[in-house]
Amino acid sequence: MAINDFFMNNITIIRRAVQASFALFTLYAGYQFFLFYQWSMGQGEYVAKPPAVEGFLPISALLSLKRIFLTGEFDPIHPAGLVILMAALTIGLLARKGFCGWICPVGFASHLAQWSGARLKILLNIPAWSASILSSLKYLLLGFFLYVIVWNMDVAAITSFLQTPYNLAADAKMLQFFLAPNSLTLAILIFLVTISFVLPNSWCRFLCPYGALLGLLAYFSPLQVNRDPDSCIGCQKCDRQCPGGIKVSQKQTVRSPECIGCIECVAVCPKKDCLTLQGAAGTKVAAWLLPVLTVLIFLGFWATALFSDHWQSKVSPETFRQIYQIAERISHPTY
Ligand code: SF4
Ligand code: SF4
Ligand code: SF4
């Protein structure tokens, strides 16, 4: 009980600390990758390529995941990206969108933008019907990727794509995208950053197909927030706290794919046991279970991959170096 009380009383600080830790690690990995890229371009000392940056290659990871199901072969080129995707999907199935609420550094950045927008008093609260329409955008993007990858590409096409120079250089091309954006990509980036300050959590709620996929899986998760209508006093503190824009005060059970498992609604509710976390068959479980499960699953996948030699790419640094030097001239293969 003492652990639960401590957790619930400090949930915002704990969540920010966990998110910030993952975000700082991601920034560190990004900087290490920048140094590796510099070395590959003949500038600076050799620095080992950090596998964690492959987490930003979800399309490659999705293709690799399909190939595992079809052939049992684990991707040797960007294995860490595949491990991170598998961890996020497992979290989605067992602990809702805990990956979004507690781990994803982009979600944390989106929150910081929202927080800044609130301080600057430029946040817009759009009506629920327009939020629903905008939310459908991410499902359209997800549907497109699932159609092209899961439905359309067979093993031969996937294997062929994964071995292309384009896939090998995917992380370098992503870095080049940010280091030297053309005017169109710069305009899109400025637009996305700007709306993140104005529309609360806009990237995650409206546009991210990764989050859309996790939200669909979360429907099967045994963990969910439950409201006891008899003890609810209708104060709506839960609604105002919810980063997913969910009207918690109007639900009995929160099954929404927008729920990121932050548990902040449970913490803010003034009535004891009115909002609780429930497991399978409606059993009440301690709220800290969801984030702890989320982090343990993520670290468990990472540790298992590390010790079973499925984390580090099997492609040599010298091969990456040669591919990166021609990365700017490599275009997307057509099928
Ligand atoms: S919706 Fe996408 S960007 Fe946002 S936290 Fe989830 S995975 Fe990350
Ligand atoms: S419903 Fe509760 S746990 Fe889910 S996102 Fe909203 S505040 Fe967080
Ligand atoms: S915070 Fe608790 S008491 Fe207030 S509306 Fe939400 S569920 Fe009801």
Side-chain angles (χ1 to χ4, degrees):
M1 181 55 80
I3 296 177
N4 202 46
D5 287 348
F6 175 81
F7 182 80
M8 298 314 280
N9 290 337
N10 298 284
I11 189 162
T12 303
I13 295 172
I14 294 172
R15 191 161 86 89
R16 297 290 172 263
V18 173
Q19 288 179 298
S21 303
F22 280 106
L24 284 175
F25 174 76
T26 305
L27 283 176
Y28 174 73
Y31 180 63
Q32 293 293 103
F33 181 64
F34 173 71
L35 295 180
F36 176 78
Y37 176 79
Q38 292 281 82
W39 165 79
S40 74
M41 304 307 272
Q43 299 160 15
E45 296 293 308
Y46 171 74
V47 173
K49 182 174 180 283
V53 293
E54 294 168 8
F56 289 92
L57 307 175
I59 305 294
S60 178
L62 199 54
L63 284 163
S64 302
L65 185 64
K66 181 174 176 184
R67 192 165 71 139
I68 281 196
F69 281 119
L70 295 176
T71 67
E73 288 173 39
F74 207 94
D75 178 40
I77 296 171
H78 298 305
L82 175 58
V83 172
I84 291 169
L85 176 66
M86 290 166 73
L89 297 181
T90 307
I91 292 168
L93 277 172
L94 297 177
R96 307 204 64 79
K97 286 169 74 176
F99 178 81
C100 296
W102 293 86
I103 292 175
C104 179
V106 181
F108 182 56
S110 180
H111 164 79
L112 290 181
Q114 177 182 346
W115 181 84
S116 306
R119 291 290 171 281
L120 295 168
K121 300 192 188 314
I122 54 173
L123 267 191
L124 294 177
N125 263 327
I126 56 173
W129 61 266
S130 51
S132 300
I133 293 173
L134 289 172
S135 290
S136 62
L137 291 174
K138 63 178 185 273
Y139 295 108
L140 288 176
L141 287 170
L142 174 65
F144 170 76
F145 288 125
L146 290 181
Y147 173 74
V148 171
I149 295 170
V150 177
W151 184 257
N152 252 3
M153 290 180 79
D154 59 16
V155 180
I158 289 174
T159 305
S160 162
F161 174 85
L162 292 176
Q163 291 170 350
T164 57
Y166 183 89
N167 185 48
L168 260 80
D171 35 20
K173 289 183 79 66
M174 181 178 58
L175 183 62
Q176 289 170 347
F177 176 88
F178 288 105
L179 290 179
N182 62 33
S183 48
L184 176 64
T185 54
L186 193 61
I188 293 172
L189 279 175
I190 291 173
F191 172 73
L192 291 176
V193 170
T194 306
I195 62 165
S196 297
F197 282 83
V198 179
L199 293 179
N201 210 13
S202 52
W203 170 258
C204 298
R205 286 169 69 198
F206 307 140
L207 293 169
C208 179
Y210 207 114
L213 179 59
L214 298 182
L216 294 181
L217 289 178
Y219 192 79
F220 302 99
S221 168
L223 296 178
Q224 59 225 351
V225 171
N226 198 67
R227 186 179 66 93
D228 172 23
D230 293 335
S231 57
C232 177
I233 56 172
C235 65
Q236 297 181 353
K237 284 186 176 179
C238 49
D239 301 351
R240 290 191 288 275
Q241 191 73 12
C242 180
I246 302 165
K247 298 285 179 205
V248 184
S249 65
Q250 295 170 18
K251 312 263 183 209
Q252 180 140 356
T253 302
V254 178
R255 291 190 183 279
S256 167
E258 303 305 322
C259 174
I260 60 171
C262 68
I263 307 299
E264 299 213 16
C265 54
V266 180
V268 82
C269 180
K271 295 294 286 182
K272 187 169 167 46
D273 288 339
C274 176
L275 284 181
T276 52
L277 185 67
Q278 292 201 344
T283 48
K284 186 180 152 194
V285 293
W288 54 262
L289 186 73
L290 192 151
V292 168
L293 188 62
T294 295
V295 174
L296 283 181
I297 291 172
F298 192 79
L299 295 181
F301 267 85
W302 165 73
T304 306
L306 188 67
F307 291 114
S308 63
D309 199 19
H310 288 89
W311 183 248
Q312 199 79 38
S313 176
K314 300 291 182 287
V315 178
S316 70
E318 190 52 45
T319 304
F320 275 125
R321 179 185 175 117
Q322 289 167 11
I323 295 284
Y324 285 6
Q325 288 181 355
I326 56 165
E328 270 183 297
R329 300 197 297 277
I330 301 173
S331 53
H332 196 289
T334 50
Y335 293 96

PDB file of all heavy atoms in Angstrom, residues 97 99-101 104-108 110 201 203-205 208-212 214 260, ligand 1:
ATOM      1  N   LYS A  97      -1.063   1.333 -24.181  1.00  0.00           N
ATOM      2  CA  LYS A  97      -0.025   2.094 -24.903  1.00  0.00           C
ATOM      3  C   LYS A  97       1.006   2.633 -23.911  1.00  0.00           C
ATOM      4  O   LYS A  97       1.405   3.792 -23.972  1.00  0.00           O
ATOM      5  CB  LYS A  97      -0.667   3.226 -25.701  1.00  0.00           C
ATOM      6  CG  LYS A  97      -1.401   2.733 -26.942  1.00  0.00           C
ATOM      7  CD  LYS A  97      -2.254   3.815 -27.568  1.00  0.00           C
ATOM      8  CE  LYS A  97      -1.479   4.847 -28.298  1.00  0.00           C
ATOM      9  NZ  LYS A  97      -2.350   5.836 -28.982  1.00  0.00           N
ATOM     10  N   PHE A  99       4.000   2.082 -23.878  1.00  0.00           N
ATOM     11  CA  PHE A  99       5.183   2.533 -24.612  1.00  0.00           C
ATOM     12  C   PHE A  99       5.081   4.031 -24.902  1.00  0.00           C
ATOM     13  O   PHE A  99       6.056   4.771 -24.774  1.00  0.00           O
ATOM     14  CB  PHE A  99       5.308   1.742 -25.926  1.00  0.00           C
ATOM     15  CG  PHE A  99       6.474   2.163 -26.772  1.00  0.00           C
ATOM     16  CD1 PHE A  99       7.750   1.691 -26.503  1.00  0.00           C
ATOM     17  CD2 PHE A  99       6.294   3.032 -27.837  1.00  0.00           C
ATOM     18  CE1 PHE A  99       8.835   2.099 -27.279  1.00  0.00           C
ATOM     19  CE2 PHE A  99       7.364   3.429 -28.619  1.00  0.00           C
ATOM     20  CZ  PHE A  99       8.636   2.962 -28.339  1.00  0.00           C
ATOM     21  N   CYS A 100       3.877   4.481 -25.291  1.00  0.00           N
ATOM     22  CA  CYS A 100       3.672   5.903 -25.601  1.00  0.00           C
ATOM     23  C   CYS A 100       3.725   6.745 -24.323  1.00  0.00           C
ATOM     24  O   CYS A 100       4.284   7.843 -24.312  1.00  0.00           O
ATOM     25  CB  CYS A 100       2.315   6.110 -26.267  1.00  0.00           C
ATOM     26  SG  CYS A 100       2.158   5.313 -27.871  1.00  0.00           S
ATOM     27  N   GLY A 101       3.125   6.245 -23.263  1.00  0.00           N
ATOM     28  CA  GLY A 101       2.992   7.041 -22.047  1.00  0.00           C
ATOM     29  C   GLY A 101       4.254   7.115 -21.208  1.00  0.00           C
ATOM     30  O   GLY A 101       4.414   8.047 -20.406  1.00  0.00           O
ATOM     31  N   CYS A 104       8.399   6.363 -25.131  1.00  0.00           N
ATOM     32  CA  CYS A 104       8.705   6.974 -26.433  1.00  0.00           C
ATOM     33  C   CYS A 104       9.228   8.416 -26.291  1.00  0.00           C
ATOM     34  O   CYS A 104       8.530   9.289 -25.762  1.00  0.00           O
ATOM     35  CB  CYS A 104       7.454   6.965 -27.317  1.00  0.00           C
ATOM     36  SG  CYS A 104       7.765   7.738 -28.915  1.00  0.00           S
ATOM     37  N   PRO A 105      10.428   8.694 -26.769  1.00  0.00           N
ATOM     38  CA  PRO A 105      10.986  10.049 -26.647  1.00  0.00           C
ATOM     39  C   PRO A 105      10.243  11.075 -27.500  1.00  0.00           C
ATOM     40  O   PRO A 105      10.220  12.260 -27.157  1.00  0.00           O
ATOM     41  CB  PRO A 105      12.436   9.888 -27.122  1.00  0.00           C
ATOM     42  CG  PRO A 105      12.476   8.617 -27.884  1.00  0.00           C
ATOM     43  CD  PRO A 105      11.378   7.745 -27.370  1.00  0.00           C
ATOM     44  N   VAL A 106       9.629  10.623 -28.599  1.00  0.00           N
ATOM     45  CA  VAL A 106       8.864  11.571 -29.427  1.00  0.00           C
ATOM     46  C   VAL A 106       7.606  12.003 -28.663  1.00  0.00           C
ATOM     47  O   VAL A 106       7.209  13.180 -28.696  1.00  0.00           O
ATOM     48  CB  VAL A 106       8.495  10.941 -30.789  1.00  0.00           C
ATOM     49  CG1 VAL A 106       7.728  11.932 -31.655  1.00  0.00           C
ATOM     50  CG2 VAL A 106       9.745  10.467 -31.509  1.00  0.00           C
ATOM     51  N   GLY A 107       6.992  11.061 -27.960  1.00  0.00           N
ATOM     52  CA  GLY A 107       5.833  11.392 -27.137  1.00  0.00           C
ATOM     53  C   GLY A 107       6.212  12.382 -26.047  1.00  0.00           C
ATOM     54  O   GLY A 107       5.446  13.308 -25.727  1.00  0.00           O
ATOM     55  N   PHE A 108       7.407  12.212 -25.487  1.00  0.00           N
ATOM     56  CA  PHE A 108       7.882  13.132 -24.445  1.00  0.00           C
ATOM     57  C   PHE A 108       8.094  14.532 -25.037  1.00  0.00           C
ATOM     58  O   PHE A 108       7.696  15.536 -24.438  1.00  0.00           O
ATOM     59  CB  PHE A 108       9.187  12.593 -23.852  1.00  0.00           C
ATOM     60  CG  PHE A 108       9.744  13.432 -22.742  1.00  0.00           C
ATOM     61  CD1 PHE A 108       8.987  13.724 -21.618  1.00  0.00           C
ATOM     62  CD2 PHE A 108      11.038  13.934 -22.816  1.00  0.00           C
ATOM     63  CE1 PHE A 108       9.496  14.501 -20.589  1.00  0.00           C
ATOM     64  CE2 PHE A 108      11.565  14.709 -21.791  1.00  0.00           C
ATOM     65  CZ  PHE A 108      10.792  15.000 -20.679  1.00  0.00           C
ATOM     66  N   SER A 110       6.606  15.717 -27.629  1.00  0.00           N
ATOM     67  CA  SER A 110       5.275  16.233 -27.920  1.00  0.00           C
ATOM     68  C   SER A 110       4.652  16.826 -26.655  1.00  0.00           C
ATOM     69  O   SER A 110       4.010  17.884 -26.688  1.00  0.00           O
ATOM     70  CB  SER A 110       4.410  15.087 -28.477  1.00  0.00           C
ATOM     71  OG  SER A 110       3.129  15.535 -28.763  1.00  0.00           O
ATOM     72  N   ASN A 201      -0.745  17.602 -27.988  1.00  0.00           N
ATOM     73  CA  ASN A 201      -0.296  16.242 -28.330  1.00  0.00           C
ATOM     74  C   ASN A 201      -0.664  15.869 -29.772  1.00  0.00           C
ATOM     75  O   ASN A 201      -1.019  14.731 -30.061  1.00  0.00           O
ATOM     76  CB  ASN A 201      -0.962  15.262 -27.343  1.00  0.00           C
ATOM     77  CG  ASN A 201      -0.118  14.057 -27.093  1.00  0.00           C
ATOM     78  OD1 ASN A 201       1.064  14.020 -27.439  1.00  0.00           O
ATOM     79  ND2 ASN A 201      -0.719  13.042 -26.506  1.00  0.00           N
ATOM     80  N   TRP A 203       0.845  15.416 -32.777  1.00  0.00           N
ATOM     81  CA  TRP A 203       1.497  14.356 -33.550  1.00  0.00           C
ATOM     82  C   TRP A 203       0.995  12.981 -33.105  1.00  0.00           C
ATOM     83  O   TRP A 203       0.614  12.138 -33.917  1.00  0.00           O
ATOM     84  CB  TRP A 203       3.026  14.447 -33.421  1.00  0.00           C
ATOM     85  CG  TRP A 203       3.708  13.251 -33.985  1.00  0.00           C
ATOM     86  CD1 TRP A 203       4.232  12.195 -33.299  1.00  0.00           C
ATOM     87  CD2 TRP A 203       3.887  12.934 -35.383  1.00  0.00           C
ATOM     88  NE1 TRP A 203       4.734  11.252 -34.162  1.00  0.00           N
ATOM     89  CE2 TRP A 203       4.539  11.681 -35.445  1.00  0.00           C
ATOM     90  CE3 TRP A 203       3.552  13.590 -36.573  1.00  0.00           C
ATOM     91  CZ2 TRP A 203       4.866  11.068 -36.659  1.00  0.00           C
ATOM     92  CZ3 TRP A 203       3.885  12.976 -37.781  1.00  0.00           C
ATOM     93  CH2 TRP A 203       4.532  11.741 -37.810  1.00  0.00           C
ATOM     94  N   CYS A 204       0.988  12.761 -31.786  1.00  0.00           N
ATOM     95  CA  CYS A 204       0.603  11.436 -31.270  1.00  0.00           C
ATOM     96  C   CYS A 204      -0.891  11.154 -31.493  1.00  0.00           C
ATOM     97  O   CYS A 204      -1.271  10.057 -31.875  1.00  0.00           O
ATOM     98  CB  CYS A 204       0.913  11.345 -29.781  1.00  0.00           C
ATOM     99  SG  CYS A 204       2.669  11.523 -29.415  1.00  0.00           S
ATOM    100  N   ARG A 205      -1.729  12.168 -31.247  1.00  0.00           N
ATOM    101  CA  ARG A 205      -3.178  11.922 -31.335  1.00  0.00           C
ATOM    102  C   ARG A 205      -3.671  11.807 -32.769  1.00  0.00           C
ATOM    103  O   ARG A 205      -4.607  11.061 -33.059  1.00  0.00           O
ATOM    104  CB  ARG A 205      -3.958  13.042 -30.639  1.00  0.00           C
ATOM    105  CG  ARG A 205      -3.885  12.983 -29.120  1.00  0.00           C
ATOM    106  CD  ARG A 205      -4.435  14.251 -28.515  1.00  0.00           C
ATOM    107  NE  ARG A 205      -5.866  14.393 -28.681  1.00  0.00           N
ATOM    108  CZ  ARG A 205      -6.514  15.556 -28.557  1.00  0.00           C
ATOM    109  NH1 ARG A 205      -5.846  16.660 -28.313  1.00  0.00           N
ATOM    110  NH2 ARG A 205      -7.818  15.600 -28.693  1.00  0.00           N
ATOM    111  N   CYS A 208       0.530   9.841 -35.804  1.00  0.00           N
ATOM    112  CA  CYS A 208       1.539   8.777 -35.673  1.00  0.00           C
ATOM    113  C   CYS A 208       0.944   7.386 -35.946  1.00  0.00           C
ATOM    114  O   CYS A 208       0.149   6.868 -35.146  1.00  0.00           O
ATOM    115  CB  CYS A 208       2.157   8.800 -34.277  1.00  0.00           C
ATOM    116  SG  CYS A 208       3.378   7.482 -34.066  1.00  0.00           S
ATOM    117  N   PRO A 209       1.334   6.721 -37.033  1.00  0.00           N
ATOM    118  CA  PRO A 209       0.804   5.385 -37.316  1.00  0.00           C
ATOM    119  C   PRO A 209       1.315   4.322 -36.340  1.00  0.00           C
ATOM    120  O   PRO A 209       0.635   3.335 -36.092  1.00  0.00           O
ATOM    121  CB  PRO A 209       1.298   5.105 -38.748  1.00  0.00           C
ATOM    122  CG  PRO A 209       2.413   6.056 -38.993  1.00  0.00           C
ATOM    123  CD  PRO A 209       2.222   7.220 -38.089  1.00  0.00           C
ATOM    124  N   TYR A 210       2.505   4.548 -35.782  1.00  0.00           N
ATOM    125  CA  TYR A 210       3.061   3.629 -34.775  1.00  0.00           C
ATOM    126  C   TYR A 210       2.114   3.584 -33.561  1.00  0.00           C
ATOM    127  O   TYR A 210       1.739   2.515 -33.071  1.00  0.00           O
ATOM    128  CB  TYR A 210       4.430   4.164 -34.356  1.00  0.00           C
ATOM    129  CG  TYR A 210       5.435   3.153 -33.849  1.00  0.00           C
ATOM    130  CD1 TYR A 210       6.598   2.899 -34.569  1.00  0.00           C
ATOM    131  CD2 TYR A 210       5.268   2.504 -32.649  1.00  0.00           C
ATOM    132  CE1 TYR A 210       7.565   2.004 -34.094  1.00  0.00           C
ATOM    133  CE2 TYR A 210       6.219   1.609 -32.178  1.00  0.00           C
ATOM    134  CZ  TYR A 210       7.359   1.362 -32.898  1.00  0.00           C
ATOM    135  OH  TYR A 210       8.294   0.472 -32.421  1.00  0.00           O
ATOM    136  N   GLY A 211       1.721   4.776 -33.105  1.00  0.00           N
ATOM    137  CA  GLY A 211       0.801   4.856 -31.972  1.00  0.00           C
ATOM    138  C   GLY A 211      -0.564   4.283 -32.322  1.00  0.00           C
ATOM    139  O   GLY A 211      -1.234   3.682 -31.476  1.00  0.00           O
ATOM    140  N   ALA A 212      -0.977   4.453 -33.589  1.00  0.00           N
ATOM    141  CA  ALA A 212      -2.272   3.901 -34.014  1.00  0.00           C
ATOM    142  C   ALA A 212      -2.255   2.377 -33.895  1.00  0.00           C
ATOM    143  O   ALA A 212      -3.219   1.765 -33.411  1.00  0.00           O
ATOM    144  CB  ALA A 212      -2.564   4.318 -35.455  1.00  0.00           C
ATOM    145  N   LEU A 214      -0.331   0.567 -31.928  1.00  0.00           N
ATOM    146  CA  LEU A 214      -0.311   0.195 -30.507  1.00  0.00           C
ATOM    147  C   LEU A 214      -1.700   0.355 -29.882  1.00  0.00           C
ATOM    148  O   LEU A 214      -2.110  -0.444 -29.041  1.00  0.00           O
ATOM    149  CB  LEU A 214       0.715   1.052 -29.749  1.00  0.00           C
ATOM    150  CG  LEU A 214       2.176   0.901 -30.194  1.00  0.00           C
ATOM    151  CD1 LEU A 214       3.095   1.764 -29.343  1.00  0.00           C
ATOM    152  CD2 LEU A 214       2.616  -0.553 -30.121  1.00  0.00           C
ATOM    153  N   ILE A 260      -2.981   6.207 -23.170  1.00  0.00           N
ATOM    154  CA  ILE A 260      -1.554   5.877 -23.198  1.00  0.00           C
ATOM    155  C   ILE A 260      -1.083   5.257 -21.875  1.00  0.00           C
ATOM    156  O   ILE A 260       0.120   5.158 -21.637  1.00  0.00           O
ATOM    157  CB  ILE A 260      -0.697   7.113 -23.545  1.00  0.00           C
ATOM    158  CG1 ILE A 260      -0.898   8.234 -22.517  1.00  0.00           C
ATOM    159  CG2 ILE A 260      -1.011   7.606 -24.948  1.00  0.00           C
ATOM    160  CD1 ILE A 260       0.084   9.395 -22.676  1.00  0.00           C
TER     161      ILE A 260
HETATM  162  S1  SF4 B   1       1.926   8.018 -30.675  1.00  0.00           S
HETATM  163 FE1  SF4 B   1       3.835   7.623 -31.781  1.00  0.00          FE
HETATM  164  S2  SF4 B   1       5.195   9.353 -31.333  1.00  0.00           S
HETATM  165 FE2  SF4 B   1       3.501   9.405 -29.878  1.00  0.00          FE
HETATM  166  S3  SF4 B   1       4.272   8.380 -28.085  1.00  0.00           S
HETATM  167 FE3  SF4 B   1       3.194   6.822 -29.305  1.00  0.00          FE
HETATM  168  S4  SF4 B   1       4.707   5.891 -30.652  1.00  0.00           S
HETATM  169 FE4  SF4 B   1       5.599   7.779 -29.790  1.00  0.00          FE
END
